[in-house]
Amino acid sequence: MSATPFPRNRAALAAAPAADAPPARPRTTPLLRSAADLTPSLFDQVVCAIGLILLWDALLSVMMSAPSQRFILRAGGAPESSGDTIKQLIFAGLYATALLRIVMLHGVRAFRYLSIPMALMVVLAIASSQWSHDPSLTIRRSVALVGTTIFGLYVGLSYGEVALARLIHRAVFVLAVLSALLAVGLPSYGLMPAEQGSQWRGVFSHKNGLGDAMAFGLTAGLFVLRSRPVTDTMALVWRLGTFAIMAGCLVMSGSATALIVAMAGMTLVMLVTHRQDAGSLALELYGGTMVIMLAAIFALLNLESIVTLLGRDITLTGRTLIWDFAFRMIEQQPVLGYGFSAFWSGLDAPGALFWRTSGRFDIHAHNGFIQTTLDVGLLGLGLFLVAYVIYLSRIARIVPVDRSGAARWHIVFAMMLLLGNVAESSLLIQNGLLWFLFTAFQTRLAKTVHAHALTPRPAAGRRPKLQNGIPVAESRS
């Protein structure tokens, strides 16, 4: 029996493998970790950043209209803007670039990662021109919805979870700085009209847009910080400074909905990143769900006191009036709705009845699920619910095998998607941020699930063959 030579120095001793010790198990699947940190080329980063800012309806609304024009309603039931044609050309160029890059980098097979129910919703939106009271308007906005979906596919293929959260945080920080400068330096542009409260709106067309952006930026930034902790003191101070600026803009916007979304999103980030094992995560999510349900019951029982505390009236700034009208209109055309993005458009539109009876000139239902039902009926809402359930099922499949925590960003986004549409209409919207993000996250998760499914599994009692830390299939002779 030959003796194993003893290493002569400490370095050799550290490098020498134990005789019977199995190879150390990695903390997370390398495939999932590398996918989470995936970042595209510089060109694609610039295109994605520009698109993200434009889809937040920021900057263009300031550059292409005077302060007095930003809230004037024309006969078409949309904000007056002399730059519609320019905006259409800009978005057309953005979407064409995204389509070209998808084909160049991934080929046409990349479209298999697109959620089928979401694709059917887009098809339904186009088909709804057949029963819309304004077919040409529905067609134009449906084409823009197709472009928004393509851009979401492009970003989902290009970015991993952590990299996308980092992109959102950085883009929102830029918007926060510009909004603060505009609100302080040019209040005629950066503030809401005096009769509407004079809250900050910054580079956005409305204060709620500023609030929503800050809520997403704060949540994404906290997720990045929790997923990839900063060890350098100056970098940590800089990160906290960005949080302070975004939080200030959120407060100055006066958007109660955005404040609730931000608090819920950041709380959920702390919850899902606190522990790393799937069992603890499931327990904490269950407990968090119970807390949310109890809070909702408490809020319903004390609604009048809560809305008074938030500075709102019992109608939630008129939202309950709109919802009551919308439900009565849905009863008349429940299955297919009134045509995509046409319900509130024009003096002869179905929604014009609400204007004449209430004296309010709202151009959406202030609830994404109600607005979707008005546009494409219960059929369209059902397709969204199917897409959402598929999304949740994929999250449940990936999270237990991804101990890096990156995949848990999907849990946070899934919750924010629902909360963001309770009091605002931001679900099925052409050139809309949440539809774009939902497409991007669905695509990212579908690609991760597909790649994970193709990773070979080791046979019972055998160790997998590794190449660069990633399991590979063994050739059979």
Side-chain angles (χ1 to χ4, degrees):
M1 180 176 180
S2 60
T4 303
F6 190 80
R8 295 180 177 274
N9 54 54
R10 185 176 300 178
L13 179 63
D20 300 320
R25 173 180 290 182
R27 285 199 59 184
T28 182
T29 305
L31 177 66
L32 297 182
R33 179 178 289 279
S34 61
D37 290 320
L38 176 66
T39 303
S41 66
L42 179 60
F43 175 80
D44 292 313
Q45 291 182 53
V46 172
V47 173
C48 292
I50 293 174
L52 185 62
I53 291 175
L54 293 179
L55 289 170
W56 242 309
D57 192 23
L59 297 180
L60 288 181
S61 59
V62 177
M63 295 186 296
M64 295 184 176
S65 59
S68 60
Q69 293 179 318
R70 292 172 70 181
F71 292 93
I72 298 176
L73 293 179
R74 62 179 181 219
E80 181 66 46
S81 173
S82 59
D84 285 347
T85 302
I86 298 177
K87 290 175 68 174
Q88 290 170 3
L89 291 175
I90 292 174
F91 277 113
L94 178 69
Y95 298 151
T97 302
L99 179 60
L100 181 62
R101 294 296 289 174
I102 289 174
V103 175
M104 288 176 57
L105 299 176
H106 308 282
V108 294
R109 288 176 58 85
F111 286 90
R112 71 182 184 273
Y113 297 120
L114 189 63
S115 169
I116 293 178
M118 294 180 69
L120 291 176
M121 288 183 70
V122 175
V123 172
L124 180 60
I126 298 173
S128 68
S129 62
Q130 300 301 311
W131 56 86
S132 170
H133 85 96
D134 191 342
S136 61
L137 177 68
T138 297
I139 285 291
R140 290 198 308 271
R141 295 184 175 178
S142 297
V143 171
L145 182 65
V146 172
T148 309
T149 307
I150 290 175
F151 190 73
L153 178 66
Y154 165 57
V155 173
L157 292 170
S158 303
Y159 277 89
E161 286 84 358
V162 176
L164 182 54
R166 189 182 299 114
L167 172 67
I168 293 173
H169 175 71
R170 291 173 177 174
V172 172
F173 173 65
V174 172
L175 294 175
V177 172
L178 294 177
S179 294
L181 293 175
L182 196 64
V184 175
L186 291 173
S188 58
Y189 281 90
L191 301 182
M192 295 286 290
E195 61 272 13
Q196 299 188 34
S198 298
Q199 292 99 341
W200 285 17
R201 64 188 177 195
V203 295
F204 297 83
S205 60
H206 195 271
K207 67 182 184 68
N208 290 338
L210 175 62
D212 291 342
M214 298 305 111
F216 270 91
L218 286 167
T219 304
L222 181 61
F223 179 81
V224 173
L225 185 62
R226 295 281 293 177
S227 300
R228 304 291 185 268
V230 176
T231 56
D232 182 71
T233 303
M234 291 303 299
L236 180 60
V237 171
W238 169 255
R239 186 69 62 84
L240 294 178
T242 64
F243 288 167
I245 294 175
M246 288 188 288
C249 288
L250 173 61
V251 173
M252 296 304 294
S253 73
S255 174
T257 301
L259 183 61
I260 293 173
V261 171
M263 293 176 62
M266 296 177 74
T267 301
L268 189 56
V269 167
M270 298 297 293
L271 180 67
V272 301
T273 58
H274 178 61
R275 297 184 185 276
Q276 296 297 319
D277 57 287
S280 297
L281 175 64
L283 180 62
E284 291 176 351
L285 287 179
Y286 176 77
T289 303
M290 294 302 296
V291 169
I292 292 174
M293 292 177 62
L294 292 175
I297 295 173
F298 175 80
L300 290 175
L301 295 176
N302 300 273
L303 182 60
E304 186 172 359
S305 300
I306 293 175
V307 296
T308 302
L309 181 63
L310 293 174
R312 300 295 191 269
D313 55 80
I314 193 63
T315 66
L316 299 179
T317 322
R319 284 176 171 83
T320 57
L321 302 177
I322 302 173
W323 297 341
D324 180 67
F325 169 77
F327 283 131
R328 286 188 279 113
M329 297 298 290
I330 289 173
E331 290 176 355
Q332 299 181 26
Q333 292 186 209
V335 179
L336 298 177
Y338 291 86
F340 174 67
S341 197
F343 183 82
W344 303 96
S345 182
L347 296 177
D348 59 341
L353 177 62
F354 179 76
W355 303 343
R356 291 191 289 267
T357 56
S358 67
R360 293 172 53 96
F361 291 91
D362 295 87
I363 56 175
H364 57 83
H366 290 282
N367 181 286
F369 312 106
I370 296 176
Q371 185 61 54
T372 298
T373 309
L374 289 171
D375 286 342
V376 288
L378 293 175
L379 177 59
L381 182 63
L383 288 172
F384 166 76
L385 294 177
V386 171
Y388 192 78
V389 170
I390 292 175
Y391 185 50
L392 294 181
S393 66
R394 286 173 173 168
I395 294 174
R397 180 177 176 181
I398 287 298
V399 165
V401 298
D402 176 30
R403 297 185 182 277
S404 70
R408 302 180 187 195
W409 172 237
H410 292 284
I411 300 175
V412 180
F413 173 74
M415 184 277 300
M416 296 187 72
L417 177 65
L418 294 183
L419 284 182
N421 280 281
V422 170
E424 296 297 334
S425 300
S426 53
L427 185 57
L428 187 66
I429 303 293
Q430 77 285 353
N431 305 329
L433 181 77
L434 279 186
W435 180 258
F436 147 71
L437 286 178
F438 191 31
T439 306
F441 279 109
Q442 282 267 17
T443 301
R444 176 74 260 155
L445 192 57
K447 189 174 182 180
T448 302
V449 169
H450 179 73
H452 181 69
L454 293 180
T455 302
R457 306 293 193 273
R462 297 182 58 191
R463 297 174 188 155
K465 181 180 179 181
L466 302 179
Q467 181 176 350
N468 296 327
I470 300 179
V472 296
E474 299 183 21
S475 60
R476 296 181 178 179
S477 56

